[in-house]
Amino acid sequence: MVPPRLLLPFLGHLLLISHLAPSISADLSSHGCYWTESCQSKWLGGCGAGYVIADQSDNCNGLCEESSYPPCLPFHTHFHCCKPESPRVTNRCARCQIKLDFGSEYICCTDCSDPYLIDKSSKLGYCKSGAELAKQLKPQEIFKWVAGPWMKCSSPCDGGVRYRDVGCFGSIDYDASIKHYPVDDSRCSAEEMPARQEPCNLHSCADFSISDSNNGEQRGMSRWLVVLFVLLGLLSIGGLGFAGYTYYKRRTSTPSGFVYIMLEGYS
């Protein structure tokens, strides 16, 4: 037979567990986190099925009302229970300062509070604030080659080389407000890279010289023709002027000369 003094502690624990069981089931919520309404043993208490202990505090971190939540006995506390869930796709993470970076996506809470993950591979976690766990795909970058204008050819003939600047630039696929920005050339496809140099002015310099000489001869002949026409014009103007002057002199000198001749005959 077990002595009564040994049964008392055991019966006390059973009564405590039976007292806590209803409170645990009554505290369960369908989503998010909650504080247990009653104080529970730090060793025997806990959260309901499907929930994890996110925190514990004698006064619910200041969230418990004293009228509804009496002070806890020693070695007793309130548990903060949260329900882990998979993040849902959203577009809210970009505006949050607090978020987890997972390479191609962000994990955050919809109210921008701290997210907590239980399993990083499945991204199962919760938000202590009770907000939903969310994820957002990172903006996808597009990389492409950008070529500048060709520079002047290095030689006017017999083949030269001209160059241009070619660089790899990135841009955001859905954000037109962000202009393209330079990145390392390794981000772009080497097969699609435009040529940085090419040959130019492949015609022979001899053909260029013959063409210049023919043009020079034509220009020389044109100059001589212009000079000839100018001289002919000056001669024509001079001839017309001389003829006019001669005609004028004859008109003015003929009567006096005729009278002089007749008088000379009579004498």
Side-chain angles (χ1 to χ4, degrees):
M1 183 176 179
V2 180
R5 57 186 177 84
L6 297 178
L7 288 175
L8 290 177
F10 179 73
L11 292 174
H13 285 297
L14 288 178
L15 291 174
L16 179 61
I17 293 174
S18 63
H19 174 72
L20 293 176
S23 64
I24 294 175
S25 60
D27 289 338
L28 295 180
S29 60
S30 60
H31 171 77
C33 301
Y34 68 95
W35 285 95
T36 55
E37 293 182 0
S38 58
C39 297
Q40 300 183 22
S41 171
K42 292 184 178 181
W43 298 280
L44 299 177
C47 301
Y51 285 77
V52 296
I53 300 175
D55 199 0
Q56 54 182 304
S57 170
D58 294 343
N59 62 350
C60 308
N61 289 337
L63 299 176
C64 296
E65 297 180 4
E66 294 184 2
S67 58
S68 301
Y69 298 87
C72 294
L73 297 175
F75 307 109
H76 288 72
T77 186
H78 293 283
F79 289 102
H80 193 203
C81 303
C82 291
K83 186 177 183 179
E85 58 185 357
S86 297
R88 67 178 182 87
V89 179
T90 184
N91 60 353
R92 298 181 182 181
C93 292
R95 62 183 177 86
C96 294
Q97 295 292 332
I98 302 174
K99 52 182 175 284
L100 301 178
D101 192 342
F102 274 83
S104 61
E105 61 185 5
Y106 294 116
I107 304 295
C108 70
C109 295
T110 53
D111 63 349
C112 295
S113 60
D114 286 305
Y116 295 88
L117 294 184
I118 298 175
D119 184 11
K120 291 185 178 181
S121 59
S122 62
K123 301 179 180 64
L124 192 69
Y126 58 89
C127 299
K128 283 186 177 182
S129 62
E132 285 189 88
L133 193 67
K135 66 178 179 180
Q136 180 179 1
L137 294 176
K138 284 185 178 180
Q140 297 296 316
E141 289 182 293
I142 298 176
F143 303 103
K144 62 181 180 180
W145 295 104
V146 177
W150 287 107
M151 298 180 184
K152 187 177 180 181
C153 190
S154 61
S155 175
C157 56
D158 280 345
V161 180
R162 62 178 184 174
Y163 300 89
R164 65 178 176 180
D165 294 327
V166 177
C168 183
F169 286 77
S171 60
I172 305 300
D173 57 352
Y174 66 86
D175 194 347
S177 63
I178 302 177
K179 297 182 178 180
H180 61 272
Y181 44 89
V183 296
D184 190 82
D185 288 350
S186 60
R187 308 296 293 273
C188 291
S189 172
E191 290 77 11
E192 299 177 358
M193 180 180 179
R196 279 195 168 100
Q197 65 181 51
E198 68 176 9
C200 55
N201 293 340
L202 302 179
H203 56 274
S204 174
C205 289
D207 298 338
F208 187 73
S209 300
I210 293 174
S211 176
D212 284 347
S213 62
N214 292 335
N215 293 334
E217 291 177 0
Q218 292 177 0
R219 289 194 295 269
M221 293 178 63
S222 299
R223 285 195 293 269
W224 279 111
L225 288 174
V226 170
V227 172
L228 180 61
F229 282 127
V230 170
L231 291 176
L232 290 176
L234 293 175
L235 290 175
S236 299
I237 293 173
L240 291 174
F242 180 75
Y245 176 76
T246 303
Y247 177 76
Y248 172 75
K249 293 297 290 181
R250 285 181 179 179
R251 294 269 303 180
T252 56
S253 60
T254 299
S256 59
F258 179 76
V259 173
Y260 176 77
I261 294 173
M262 292 295 296
L263 292 175
E264 190 71 27
Y266 280 108
S267 62

